[in-house]
Amino acid sequence: MYTALLKHIQHYIPLNEAEEKEITRNFKVLQLKKKTVILEAGQTCKGNYFVAKGCLRMYFFDDKGVEQTTQFAIENWWISDYTSLALKKTSEFYLQTVEDSTIIVLETAVEDALLEQVPKLERYFRLMFQRAYGTSQHLAKYNHTLSREAHYRHFNKSFPDFVQRIPQYMLASFLGFTPEFLSKIRAKKDQPIS
Amino acid sequence: MYTALLKHIQHYIPLNEAEEKEITRNFKVLQLKKKTVILEAGQTCKGNYFVAKGCLRMYFFDDKGVEQTTQFAIENWWISDYTSLALKKTSEFYLQTVEDSTIIVLETAVEDALLEQVPKLERYFRLMFQRAYGTSQHLAKYNHTLSREAHYRHFNKSFPDFVQRIPQYMLASFLGFTPEFLSKIRAKKDQPIS
């Protein structure tokens, strides 16, 4: 159950046996069916979620009651509402499984104790947040330069397997257009990026 | 010179005298005139920059050769191209002072050694990246929901002093519209957010 997580951590920091035990003792495994909601807006987020298998997404409802997806996490990515976690304030987001998923969660209630027991995990999480934040800096650049259609093509080229896995309406929302517009773009697939 | 940085770190983690010394020995202070470029696209980013006084911004040139500002950092914020830092690859961004600034830099060349000497800094930086990443998650939400005009009004309300400090054309670029459109919005200041 913990193999994917331990392997991922060990890619960044070495772990001895005692540390591995401490980690598996503190992280919880959740086997979740597709479309399970694990965080709702208005709740305080209570954990940091690692996707061992499957996919999670983050979304909110806009003023018109329409779901807007802001983020996806597939295998080997962490996802949570990090402001809600850090400030212990209620979240504005929902977290939901997109597929049947195996999620490993580090609950806020045990996080501090674990980080004291295995302080080198601070380094691991520092590297994870640095990576995620770096990605968001590049996303800001794409949002400035690429047309929505070019954004989709870039996304499609960078993550072809992922694009096949998720429902079209979620991808459309993430990219900021309607499912109809996405269908139109998909229909003229072979045109070059402009 | 280091007071602002040490105070900021101590807000998150306690430091003893030896650790304070180790930090001031490893961080460098830069006194920079307004409009000094400290990173250029095509270079590999070599440091993580803390704004003790003044303001830095991150930008790039789009296909038409127009500057696009993606980020600002004022007092007590860190800024850098974190992908370039982490992967030691060339940057797509520029970093430049917006005002005369005092910047404290942690150079990549000494970072690993310092983090070994003062491992609790891993926690400090983990918290910094978590905070920055959390902010970028909320920014993604605003980009999905708010019209550009509402985005400006929200930004103006959240950071009124900051909005006064930076040139209008940079703010316009950051918010994704032309300086002319920003002037227009500013002219009708008293209307409610829609």
Side-chain angles (χ1 to χ4, degrees):
Chain A
M1 288 300 182
Y2 291 96
T3 318
L5 175 63
L6 290 173
K7 208 174 142 192
H8 195 255
I9 297 175
Q10 275 166 327
H11 183 72
Y12 295 92
I13 54 166
L15 291 176
N16 62 37
E17 226 174 283
E19 289 162 343
E20 280 191 18
K21 259 192 196 158
E22 206 53 43
I23 287 170
T24 51
R25 206 172 61 81
N26 280 283
F27 284 78
K28 266 193 196 160
V29 177
L30 308 174
Q31 299 285 10
L32 303 172
K33 287 274 164 216
K34 182 177 168 169
K35 296 210 169 178
T36 307
V37 173
I38 57 174
L39 170 70
E40 282 186 39
Q43 295 174 342
T44 300
C45 188
K46 293 221 160 39
N48 192 4
Y49 303 94
F50 177 81
V51 182
K53 196 176 159 295
C55 181
L56 279 170
R57 71 170 176 129
M58 194 171 202
Y59 63 100
F60 66 95
F61 289 96
D62 67 17
D63 294 347
K64 296 176 186 115
V66 179
E67 259 182 43
Q68 301 286 352
T69 298
T70 55
Q71 229 176 313
F72 293 100
I74 52 168
E75 286 81 7
N76 290 330
W77 275 89
W78 289 89
I79 193 166
S80 186
D81 176 346
Y82 293 107
T83 303
S84 174
L85 269 193
L87 304 180
K88 300 193 192 334
K89 59 179 235 176
T90 57
S91 179
E92 298 172 14
F93 294 100
Y94 292 74
L95 282 171
Q96 186 200 45
T97 52
V98 177
E99 306 167 346
D100 292 350
S101 301
T102 306
I103 305 298
I104 303 180
V105 54
L106 177 56
E107 290 178 342
T108 321
V110 300
E111 184 182 331
D112 280 346
L114 175 64
L115 289 171
E116 251 177 62
Q117 283 291 319
V118 190
K120 62 168 78 156
L121 280 178
E122 292 281 8
R123 179 177 175 82
Y124 169 70
F125 282 112
R126 191 262 296 172
L127 292 167
M128 288 309 98
F129 284 119
Q130 178 164 350
R131 186 173 80 151
Y133 186 52
T135 303
S136 80
Q137 289 182 310
H138 278 272
L139 203 60
K141 182 170 180 262
Y142 295 135
N143 286 339
H144 261 275
T145 44
L146 299 182
S147 70
R148 289 183 172 183
E149 183 167 346
H151 196 167
Y152 164 71
R153 290 185 192 280
H154 177 84
F155 194 78
N156 202 25
K157 206 175 150 194
S158 308
F159 312 102
D161 300 338
F162 175 63
V163 169
Q164 294 311 315
R165 273 168 70 173
I166 50 170
Q168 188 143 330
Y169 81 93
M170 284 183 196
L171 182 62
S173 158
F174 175 70
L175 295 168
F177 38 69
T178 64
E180 294 72 28
F181 188 62
L182 181 56
S183 301
K184 233 191 234 176
I185 294 173
R186 280 190 155 167
K188 52 173 182 166
K189 237 182 205 168
D190 294 333
Q191 291 185 11
I193 295 180
S194 62
Chain B
M1 286 298 183
Y2 292 97
T3 317
L5 175 63
L6 290 173
K7 209 175 140 190
H8 195 255
I9 297 175
Q10 275 166 329
H11 182 71
Y12 296 92
I13 53 166
L15 291 176
N16 61 37
E17 224 173 287
E19 289 162 343
E20 281 191 18
K21 258 193 196 156
E22 205 53 44
I23 288 169
T24 51
R25 207 172 59 81
N26 280 282
F27 284 78
K28 265 194 195 159
V29 176
L30 309 173
Q31 299 285 11
L32 303 172
K33 286 277 163 213
K34 182 177 169 169
K35 297 210 168 178
T36 307
V37 173
I38 57 174
L39 169 70
E40 282 185 39
Q43 296 175 341
T44 301
C45 188
K46 293 220 161 38
N48 192 2
Y49 303 93
F50 177 81
V51 181
K53 197 176 159 296
C55 181
L56 279 170
R57 71 171 176 129
M58 194 172 202
Y59 63 100
F60 66 94
F61 288 96
D62 68 16
D63 293 348
K64 295 176 188 117
V66 179
E67 258 183 42
Q68 300 287 352
T69 299
T70 56
Q71 229 177 311
F72 292 100
I74 52 168
E75 286 81 8
N76 289 329
W77 276 89
W78 289 89
I79 194 167
S80 186
D81 176 345
Y82 293 107
T83 303
S84 174
L85 269 193
L87 306 180
K88 300 193 192 334
K89 60 180 234 176
T90 57
S91 180
E92 298 173 15
F93 294 101
Y94 292 73
L95 283 171
Q96 186 200 47
T97 52
V98 178
E99 306 167 346
D100 293 350
S101 300
T102 306
I103 306 296
I104 303 180
V105 54
L106 176 57
E107 291 178 340
T108 321
V110 301
E111 184 182 333
D112 281 346
L114 174 65
L115 290 171
E116 251 177 63
Q117 283 292 318
V118 189
K120 63 168 77 156
L121 280 178
E122 291 281 8
R123 179 177 176 82
Y124 169 71
F125 282 113
R126 192 262 295 172
L127 293 168
M128 287 309 98
F129 283 119
Q130 178 165 349
R131 185 173 81 150
Y133 186 51
T135 303
S136 80
Q137 290 182 309
H138 278 271
L139 203 59
K141 182 169 180 263
Y142 295 134
N143 286 338
H144 261 274
T145 44
L146 300 182
S147 70
R148 289 183 170 182
E149 182 167 345
H151 195 168
Y152 165 71
R153 289 184 191 281
H154 177 84
F155 194 79
N156 203 24
K157 207 176 149 193
S158 307
F159 313 101
D161 299 337
F162 174 62
V163 170
Q164 294 312 315
R165 273 169 67 173
I166 52 169
Q168 188 143 329
Y169 82 93
M170 284 182 196
L171 181 62
S173 158
F174 174 71
L175 295 168
F177 38 70
T178 62
E180 293 73 29
F181 188 63
L182 180 56
S183 301
K184 233 190 232 173
I185 294 172
R186 281 189 155 169
K188 51 173 184 168
K189 237 181 206 168
D190 296 332
Q191 290 185 15
I193 294 180
S194 63

